[in-house]
Amino acid sequence: MREHVWGTGAATGIGSMPGTDAREAAKTVTGSLEHFPYLPELPARGPGADMIGRTAGLLVELYARLEPSGWRVGDAPGRDTRRARSWLGEDLDALEEFTQGHTGALKVSAVGPWTLAASLERRGGEAMLGDAGACRYLAESLAEGLRAHLAEVRRRVPGARIVLQLDEPSLTAVLLGGVPTASGYRTHPAVDRGVAEGALRQVVGAAREAAGEPAREPAEGISVVVHSCAPGVPFGLLRRAGADGISFDLSLLTERDDEAVGEAVEAGTALFAGAVPAAEPDTGALSDPAGSVMGVRTLWRRIGLSPKLLARSVVVTPACGLAGASPAYARAALAHCVRAARSLVNDPE
């Protein structure tokens, strides 16, 4: 089984954090997740710091502006694009400050091509998803933008083993024809699974090229993880598209997913299991690290996977981003993920 760059018994976060202070967020993430930190997102700052606006700022020769209905493509970069790029620059400055000398895994995030297509509007107000040519152009623009972004991260933190997370919460709806049109009375037709897989494979390849690795190889030191906190994650499609890891909300997994999950693990795909609540619960959910990953152990036994694969195949994360949590809970949740991951090493049974 191929070893992943984050090692055994790893834990990390999803992306978003509470607050508006980039330095404080970077300090919290790097302090709590010494071995597998990530570039925080701070959507509380406003438009351009949200996941769609942030990724729209990375696009090449494609620009977006904020309209009352959401993000819409435009002809030239405006203040919304400049603001998104400025905030990303602040985030990278803070990350660089707190990762001096870091030589382990380091995760950065961007919205994937299908959630972006479902969220970005064309000039007429309909989602780009409704135009196959626009979707192809969007995937190409995103691929080029990610090459430049990942090269910049590598320049700033030269010793890091960069991991790209593609956020695709809308992917299942795209595949099932569940994305509503602008009127709300209809939905966009389902996208062919082969077409969806091809666009994702194109973006995965671009990420590996940015690190100077062959796009066709599972590159040593470079991984791509696809995240979805929606039900019905298409594990098989993501694995075939080249994802090295699949990130999901553990509580949404059902026995219908067992076969696909088992095939993914046996093929060497890592599972980023969202086992820790992203919002502060009413009761003390962070009192028992081993209990937090009991669902992972139950899944392992149900599928019949070897306990020896558990800590090597699973990365423990919060169920989703932490933007809605208090700063104190966000810190506690990340630290709890580390302890829960360690419990899988100490007691894989």
Side-chain angles (χ1 to χ4, degrees):
M1 182 177 181
R2 179 167 54 90
E3 293 293 333
H4 295 289
V5 299
W6 45 79
T8 299
T12 191
I14 297 300
S16 66
M17 290 288 286
T20 60
D21 188 328
R23 289 189 75 257
E24 184 62 30
K27 181 179 179 181
T28 296
V29 166
T30 55
S32 302
L33 302 167
E34 180 182 352
H35 298 293
F36 196 176
Y38 62 95
L39 177 65
E41 301 170 358
L42 299 174
R45 290 183 296 196
D50 61 296
M51 58 187 286
I52 300 300
R54 184 182 179 95
T55 300
L58 297 175
L59 298 175
V60 173
E61 296 183 359
L62 188 63
Y63 311 103
R65 65 178 186 273
L66 191 62
E67 298 287 344
S69 56
W71 288 94
R72 183 174 297 180
V73 296
D75 297 320
R79 65 178 182 179
D80 295 321
T81 297
R82 291 192 293 271
R83 181 170 52 214
R85 291 174 176 174
S86 175
W87 273 333
L88 179 58
E90 289 182 17
D91 295 338
L92 288 170
D93 289 343
L95 182 74
E96 182 179 4
E97 177 183 349
F98 288 101
T99 53
Q100 291 299 304
H102 180 70
T103 57
L106 173 66
K107 183 164 68 67
V108 298
S109 303
V111 177
W114 294 109
T115 295
L116 206 57
S119 303
L120 274 180
E121 299 174 356
R122 289 171 283 163
R123 290 175 178 82
E126 286 291 353
M128 296 187 77
L129 183 64
D131 184 325
C135 289
R136 288 192 295 271
Y137 184 62
L138 179 61
E140 292 169 1
S141 176
L142 177 61
E144 289 300 317
L146 285 174
R147 285 189 184 99
H149 177 52
L150 295 173
E152 173 68 5
V153 175
R154 196 177 202 192
R155 183 189 68 78
R156 287 173 176 262
V157 194
R161 313 287 291 277
I162 301 171
V163 177
L164 171 65
Q165 175 181 299
L166 294 174
D167 291 314
E168 282 284 15
S170 298
L171 178 59
T172 300
V174 166
L175 295 172
L176 297 178
V179 177
T181 59
S183 69
Y185 294 115
R186 297 183 298 108
T187 58
H188 291 282
V191 171
D192 180 83
R193 296 178 77 89
V195 172
E197 182 181 320
L200 284 164
R201 188 181 298 111
Q202 177 183 8
V203 175
V204 170
R208 291 183 174 141
E209 289 171 4
E213 300 285 353
R216 297 182 301 276
E217 303 284 334
E220 182 182 355
I222 290 295
S223 295
V224 179
V225 177
V226 180
H227 167 71
S228 173
C229 51
V233 176
F235 287 91
L237 184 152
L238 297 177
R239 174 174 54 83
R240 292 190 299 273
D244 301 292
I246 301 172
S247 173
F248 56 94
D249 182 343
L250 182 62
S251 70
L252 298 179
L253 217 60
T254 70
E255 292 188 17
R256 293 193 299 272
D257 300 305
D258 284 0
E259 182 177 355
V261 171
E263 290 175 352
V265 172
E266 290 174 348
T269 306
L271 304 180
F272 282 56
V276 176
E280 190 165 1
D282 295 332
T283 57
L286 305 186
S287 59
D288 180 11
S292 294
V293 288
M294 185 57 67
V296 178
R297 292 191 176 90
T298 300
L299 172 68
W300 231 247
R301 288 193 294 269
R302 194 168 70 225
I303 298 177
L305 294 168
S306 169
K308 295 179 180 179
L309 295 177
L310 184 55
R312 295 169 59 190
S313 302
V314 173
V315 177
V316 179
T317 74
C320 205
L322 295 168
S326 68
Y329 180 77
R331 285 192 298 271
L334 294 178
H336 187 79
C337 288
V338 174
R339 293 192 296 271
R342 181 52 49 187
S343 76
L344 293 179
V345 176
N346 296 336
D347 183 17
E349 299 289 345

